[in-house]
Amino acid sequence: DEAVQIERWMSGDHGVPLKDVANILENWDYARDLEVDSVVSIDWELCAEALQFPIDQLQLRVALIAGTGTGNLPRRQNRLCEKVIDPTSLEVRLTSVITGHTLSGRLRLSLQISLEGPADAGSALSPKVRGARLWQSHIDILIEDGGDSRFPVETVSFLHCFKGKPQEAAP
């Protein structure tokens, strides 16, 4: 955690200046696309020391992932953007546009850093598999007041509500 810092989480309408991410996405609409942006900085010396890799061989993959849906776990996740970086990159910016009709309930933005290389260096405790997750952070954003339906729907029994009328046998 000390080797990685998230400089910012930003979001907003596509094509206009972005703002800091809030806990609730206000005035959202399904027809409105959402642009997300994040900047991550890495202390490469601390990272190489923690992983016990030579700093000049270390490569990492940084990914921005969006999950959406109601409940505790997103029902759908999409990898929005990813970049392979090395010690020449002191910070990396990940940005993407999420189409509005794909969002529901909440938006969970995740930043993940995984090992790209080397696979044959380090100590016995160093990760050896390309793609091994090294670090992750996320932020949850509630959509349209926590995902409540804009058009409330109620389940009722037609048999009981329309007893004696033609609708009582409706599916």
Side-chain angles (χ1 to χ4, degrees):
D1 283 339
E2 294 82 24
V4 180
Q5 296 295 319
I6 298 176
E7 301 297 325
R8 67 176 189 232
W9 289 99
M10 306 282 282
S11 70
D13 292 328
H14 179 57
V16 299
L18 303 179
K19 298 178 183 174
D20 289 333
V21 169
N23 291 334
I24 298 176
L25 183 58
E26 299 288 345
N27 304 316
W28 178 79
D29 190 284
Y30 290 101
R32 188 174 128 199
D33 294 340
L34 183 67
E35 186 172 350
V36 293
D37 180 76
S38 185
V39 175
V40 178
S41 62
I42 297 174
D43 181 334
W44 287 94
E45 289 181 13
L46 192 56
C47 186
E49 180 183 328
L51 296 171
Q52 299 178 3
F53 285 134
I55 193 168
D56 60 328
Q57 295 178 21
L58 187 56
Q59 287 187 315
L60 303 175
R61 180 177 297 272
V62 183
L64 176 61
I65 299 166
T68 189
T70 57
N72 291 332
L73 296 173
R75 65 176 161 76
R76 179 186 359 196
Q77 293 195 84
N78 294 322
R79 189 171 293 260
L80 301 176
C81 179
E82 63 183 5
K83 295 181 179 180
V84 175
I85 58 174
D86 60 30
T88 61
S89 306
L90 297 180
E91 67 177 29
V92 60
R93 180 177 182 204
L94 299 166
T95 187
S96 184
V97 175
I98 305 170
T99 53
H101 72 273
T102 63
L103 297 175
S104 72
R106 70 182 237 216
L107 173 63
R108 180 183 171 122
L109 294 174
S110 298
L111 278 170
Q112 293 182 356
I113 298 178
S114 58
L115 181 67
E116 187 67 17
D120 57 351
S123 74
L125 297 178
S126 297
K128 302 290 185 198
V129 179
R130 181 176 173 255
R133 187 180 316 157
L134 305 174
W135 181 88
Q136 177 176 312
S137 182
H138 70 272
I139 187 167
D140 280 314
I141 306 163
L142 295 178
I143 298 175
E144 55 180 29
D145 298 325
D148 291 337
S149 177
R150 291 184 176 187
F151 305 104
V153 177
E154 184 177 331
T155 304
V156 297
S157 167
F158 279 28
L159 182 63
H160 297 316
C161 290
F162 299 108
K163 195 163 191 83
K165 296 182 181 173
Q167 300 94 318
E168 80 175 333

